[in-house]
Amino acid sequence: MYAQMIKTARAGIKTRDEMSDLERDFQDKIDRDIKIEPRDWMPDDYRATLIRQIGQHAHSEVVGQLPEGNWITRAPTLERKAILLAKVQDEAGHGLYLYSAAETLGESRDELTRLLHEGKMKYSSIFNYPTLNWADMGAVGWLVDGAAIVNQVALQRTSYGPYARAMVRICKEESFHARQGYHAMMKMAFGTPEQKAMAQSALDRLWFPSIMMFGPSDAESTHSEQSMAWKIKVKSNDELRQQYIDQTVPQIEYLGLDLPDPSLKWNEETGHYDYGEPDWSEFFDVIKGNGPCNVDRLRNRVKAWEDGAWVRDGLMAHARKKAAAKVAAQ
Ligand code: FAQ
């Protein structure tokens, strides 16, 4: 369904006069902060935009397991291994909540998975970068989950009820993820010179990719205007990026690490940190599929799906058997 809907390109935002009665009533609900629920009437483009964003979000959670999954067997202590296992398992759960939210819009998990595997849907750019040393596990928790939380706290107020409610639980779990990441970074940054150098390298490599997670600048963002009018997005890409930078720079300073961008400076006038623009050509290249790990990530994701077929078949056979036994007992 999504694949078909997305083909009907939207041309600009409608004014109130251009809206039908149904569309006007819908917009009034949004303006009064009344949540939209699955059985409510909604414009096709609102549905398609939500399926795109929630689907991409779900894929990010699931693909996001891969860079961390690589490190489970190499965690330095049993405690760190247990923490990482719990975190990676949580990400699978987040994917499930989000696929379920997309199902309430009429799009199946199987269809979204097919679109991901065929390269027709995106997942977050950040997961196309490699995780090269153990400090990267700290930096992913601290920076990547940290950025994800800033975005997802805002999304708790998104206009679509099931998406907003999924965010509440996800944010609680992401908070544990970010803390364990910062804790791992503290150990490294306050450890031996070699450990501190690994922490610095992880920060230097993941800083710009983490600030690119918020999407292109507001001027370049194709969906923001309509998504904000519908309150799917309640804060713009640049607002969220600034919020993340403002909260993260003091954390870098506490760790005693060098700032990863020479332009990062507190600006008394604006009350925010100034920062250097990321390399946006790199961002657009990565989301087109040409990042350092895109091919690997998708190949591993497809392999995991195919290798898991017997589990899904077994579960379905068991469900059918249980249903048949229930009918026979009636
Ligand atoms: N990566 O017009 P906009 C996590 C695309 S969760 C890839 O600004 P929009 C947890 C965008 O799709 C991380 N593509 O788009 C975790 C559009 O292309 P399209 C995921 C991106 O949707 C941690 C085009 O660029 N979080 O990390 C990206 O209004 C650790 C134009 O952009 C979410 O998905 C990107 N970064 O705003 C898991 C949050 N940015 O579709 C494991 C929900 C933009 O027209 C380990 N999503 N694009 O072909 C959102 O809030 C929004 O979708 C944005 C983008 C803000 C990401």
Side-chain angles (χ1 to χ4, degrees):
M1 183 175 78
Y2 168 74
Q4 279 170 347
M5 288 171 95
I6 213 71
K7 279 189 199 136
T8 49
R10 195 180 43 241
I13 297 188
K14 286 187 181 170
T15 62
R16 277 189 82 77
D17 289 344
E18 289 165 341
M19 289 177 189
S20 66
D21 289 348
L22 275 170
E23 286 169 335
R24 242 189 316 270
D25 287 350
F26 175 82
Q27 189 63 49
D28 285 344
K29 274 170 91 173
I30 300 272
D31 294 343
R32 283 183 289 140
D33 286 329
I34 297 174
K35 291 270 180 267
I36 305 302
E37 297 297 339
R39 290 185 186 174
D40 294 344
W41 184 88
M42 61 186 82
D44 285 349
D45 286 337
Y46 176 84
R47 188 184 296 275
T49 301
L50 275 172
I51 294 173
R52 178 187 62 78
Q53 180 169 321
I54 298 174
Q56 175 174 306
H57 196 164
H59 297 329
S60 305
E61 301 283 355
V62 173
V63 177
Q65 293 178 107
L66 296 171
E68 290 180 306
N70 275 341
W71 282 91
I72 291 171
T73 53
R74 288 176 284 166
T77 65
L78 194 56
E79 187 191 19
R80 291 280 171 208
K81 191 194 289 267
I83 292 172
L84 191 57
L85 262 174
K87 178 182 190 304
V88 171
Q89 184 177 296
D90 281 354
E91 308 300 0
H94 296 177
L96 279 180
Y97 311 153
L98 287 160
Y99 287 123
S100 301
E103 276 177 350
T104 67
L105 292 156
E107 190 60 291
S108 74
R109 179 179 161 198
D110 282 353
E111 172 65 358
L112 291 175
T113 302
R114 183 184 69 79
L115 292 168
L116 170 70
H117 291 179
E118 289 178 3
K120 292 181 182 149
M121 274 187 91
K122 297 184 167 76
Y123 56 87
S124 182
S125 49
I126 187 73
F127 301 117
N128 292 307
Y129 291 86
T131 44
L132 301 178
N133 73 44
W134 173 253
D136 288 26
M137 289 301 93
V140 166
W142 168 38
L143 301 174
V144 177
D145 286 87
I149 292 174
V150 168
N151 176 291
Q152 292 171 157
V153 165
L155 283 174
Q156 290 178 352
R157 291 189 285 123
T158 191
S159 56
Y160 187 57
Y163 192 22
R165 291 189 285 274
M167 284 302 114
V168 174
R169 179 152 173 198
I170 289 182
C171 282
K172 287 191 178 136
E173 293 175 352
E174 298 282 32
S175 163
F176 146 62
H177 299 171
R179 281 158 200 238
Q180 67 78 35
Y182 195 64
H183 189 249
M185 285 304 273
M186 281 167 66
K187 284 272 176 201
M188 304 288 286
F190 301 143
T192 63
E194 288 81 5
Q195 286 174 314
K196 187 169 181 184
M198 283 164 75
Q200 184 69 55
S201 156
L203 170 62
D204 291 344
R205 282 179 289 104
L206 289 171
W207 174 253
F208 279 110
S210 78
I211 70 171
M212 290 195 266
M213 283 174 70
F214 296 93
S217 69
D218 292 350
E220 295 290 322
S221 166
T222 40
H223 302 289
S224 282
E225 194 186 3
Q226 180 65 78
S227 287
M228 291 190 75
W230 279 331
K231 296 189 186 167
I232 290 175
K233 287 166 90 164
V234 294
K235 287 192 181 178
S236 78
N237 298 1
D238 286 335
E239 276 178 278
L240 291 170
R241 190 176 358 261
Q242 185 71 61
Q243 192 180 326
Y244 165 74
I245 290 170
D246 289 348
Q247 84 178 27
T248 309
V249 175
Q251 295 169 351
I252 300 174
E253 287 166 346
Y254 180 79
L255 292 175
L257 297 177
D258 296 333
L259 294 177
D261 163 13
S263 308
L264 280 170
K265 287 204 178 62
W266 178 251
N267 182 329
E268 282 295 344
E269 238 168 74
T270 60
H272 295 289
Y273 282 93
D274 291 338
Y275 59 92
E277 282 298 316
D279 178 350
W280 288 114
S281 62
E282 175 183 311
F283 169 79
F284 287 112
D285 222 29
V286 169
I287 68 172
K288 267 192 227 127
N290 304 322
C293 298
N294 295 60
V295 173
D296 254 23
R297 297 288 188 244
L298 210 53
R299 189 194 304 119
N300 289 337
R301 190 56 229 135
V302 172
K303 182 175 183 315
W305 178 257
E306 286 168 356
D307 289 352
W310 68 273
V311 180
R312 291 189 298 279
D313 290 348
L315 287 171
M316 292 306 288
H318 179 66
R320 275 193 300 272
K321 228 165 125 181
K322 257 177 84 175
K326 205 170 159 192
V327 171
Q330 277 167 0

